[in-house]
Amino acid sequence: MGFLDELKLQYKMGGFEQKIIYWNVGIFLVILLVEAIGFGPFVQQWVALSSVPESLLLKPWTLLTYAFLHFRFLHLLFNMLVLNFAGRLFLTFFSQKQFLGLYLLSAIFSGIAFVVGYYFLGAASTIVGASGAIMAILVATATYAPHMNLRLLLIGNVKLWMFTAVVVAIDLIQIFAENTGGHIAHLAGAFFGFVFIKLLQSGTDLSKMVTFILDGVSNLSSGRKKTAFKKVHRNYNPPRRPEQKPVSRIVTKDKTQQQIDEILDKISKSGYDSLTAAEKEFLFKAGK
């Protein structure tokens, strides 16, 4: 199996945390290409989030697009490493749909907080990056499982709430020192992650609104219309047939599908990296 084939398979079999990483990296590569041909400033103007309210009214999509944009490699690398770390923790307790819902909703909330914050500060700027949404995922997990143990290099075991508290404190300390807009978005994301879990614990799952919208868009794009089931009544007496012995109909599960199910179960428990080379090859061929 080639390198590109394995990437495709990882994307296909991975969860939303992996897909979002792929989207961020893919968009970063596209941005590099666009900048190379001289259209970088034009792209930034139309997809980065501006703090000017009038600009947001003209380009409302930037409340989401900014959270998938990175213009510096180190910014992208750090965010994706933290997203992978926080995402794995979050998915220990919650579903893939809840992860996606939290990511998108917290990105929107953080973007609004950035615009409102700069409006009251009387300043103007633009923002890109997934940091606000990532902070929401980290804080949401820490709110739900604060005493979860983490083993950190050179430090040892620490509680998740301690690690998260330090990250939030750094943003609070630096909010007026540098990158004020970024820190506002981070803190807004942290607040949203906390609220998301508290509402979830009280019975309100905010991610359902995202799932509802995405399912609606998916149904529209598929163009499939559900036809009503028609029940037909027939009034007649069928002729009697001689009594027959019941026939045992045991359907043996297709061996290929059974093997696929076993591999998918292994991925769900231990991740894609736990597969052997033979299992990866088999899954790739089965997906063609």
Side-chain angles (χ1 to χ4, degrees), residues 164-183:
T164 306
V166 171
V167 175
V168 173
I170 291 173
D171 278 307
L172 283 170
I173 293 171
Q174 296 183 338
I175 189 168
F176 293 114
E178 59 179 358
N179 189 23
T180 299
H183 294 303

Side-chain angles (χ1 to χ4, degrees), residues 50-52 114 118 122-126:
S50 171
S51 64
V52 179
F114 163 74
Y118 263 70
S125 184
T126 58

Side-chain angles (χ1 to χ4, degrees), residues 8-274:
K8 290 177 184 177
L9 184 59
Q10 286 191 35
Y11 178 83
K12 183 179 179 181
M13 306 310 302
F16 279 120
E17 82 284 4
Q18 284 182 286
K19 286 180 170 61
I20 288 176
I21 291 173
Y22 273 71
W23 295 342
N24 275 278
V25 173
I27 292 171
F28 176 76
L29 295 176
V30 171
I31 293 296
L32 288 182
L33 178 62
V34 170
E35 288 182 337
I37 60 178
F39 287 96
F42 175 81
V43 172
Q44 185 168 350
Q45 180 183 355
W46 285 95
V47 292
L49 178 62
S50 171
S51 64
V52 179
E54 293 80 3
S55 178
L56 178 58
L57 291 175
L58 292 173
K59 298 173 289 185
W61 60 84
T62 56
L63 270 178
L64 267 181
T65 56
Y66 87 94
F68 293 88
L69 292 174
H70 300 82
F71 292 110
R72 291 179 290 109
F73 175 73
L74 289 180
H75 187 201
L76 172 73
L77 178 63
F78 179 78
N79 272 357
M80 294 306 99
L81 289 173
V82 179
L83 175 58
N84 183 64
F85 167 75
R88 288 178 181 272
L89 293 180
F90 181 87
L91 291 168
T92 304
F93 308 101
F94 305 104
S95 69
Q96 291 283 342
K97 289 184 177 180
Q98 287 171 322
F99 175 87
L100 180 62
L102 176 57
Y103 184 93
L104 296 179
L105 290 174
S106 60
I108 294 172
F109 183 82
S110 298
I112 293 173
F114 163 74
V115 174
V116 172
Y118 263 70
Y119 176 79
F120 284 107
L121 289 174
S125 184
T126 58
I127 188 174
V128 295
S131 305
I134 295 170
M135 183 69 84
I137 293 167
L138 178 62
V139 171
T141 311
T143 302
Y144 184 79
H147 299 291
M148 184 179 186
N149 281 318
L150 299 178
R151 177 173 284 276
L152 301 180
L153 186 66
L154 303 179
I155 297 176
N157 290 332
V158 297
K159 300 295 184 183
L160 179 56
W161 76 265
M162 297 177 181
F163 173 80
T164 306
V166 171
V167 175
V168 173
I170 291 173
D171 278 307
L172 283 170
I173 293 171
Q174 296 183 338
I175 189 168
F176 293 114
E178 59 179 358
N179 189 23
T180 299
H183 294 303
I184 290 174
H186 297 176
L187 293 172
F191 174 75
F192 189 88
F194 174 81
V195 172
F196 179 88
I197 293 300
K198 289 302 179 183
L199 288 176
L200 188 62
Q201 290 174 330
S202 66
T204 302
D205 187 353
L206 294 179
S207 69
K208 286 185 176 179
M209 68 176 74
V210 174
T211 302
F212 177 79
I213 294 171
L214 293 179
D215 287 345
V217 172
S218 177
N219 291 335
L220 286 175
S221 62
S222 66
R224 296 177 181 174
K225 294 183 179 180
K226 295 182 179 179
T227 56
F229 174 75
K230 295 181 180 180
K231 189 174 183 179
V232 179
H233 297 273
R234 296 182 179 178
N235 297 318
Y236 71 95
N237 295 318
R240 292 184 178 181
R241 296 181 179 180
E243 291 186 4
Q244 298 178 352
K245 294 182 179 180
V247 179
S248 176
R249 297 183 179 180
I250 301 175
V251 180
T252 304
K253 194 172 185 181
D254 181 80
K255 291 184 178 180
T256 300
Q257 185 60 48
Q258 184 176 357
Q259 191 170 351
I260 290 174
D261 292 343
E262 291 173 355
I263 293 174
L264 292 178
D265 185 56
K266 185 176 180 181
I267 292 175
S268 66
K269 291 179 179 178
S270 307
Y272 177 82
D273 293 336
S274 66

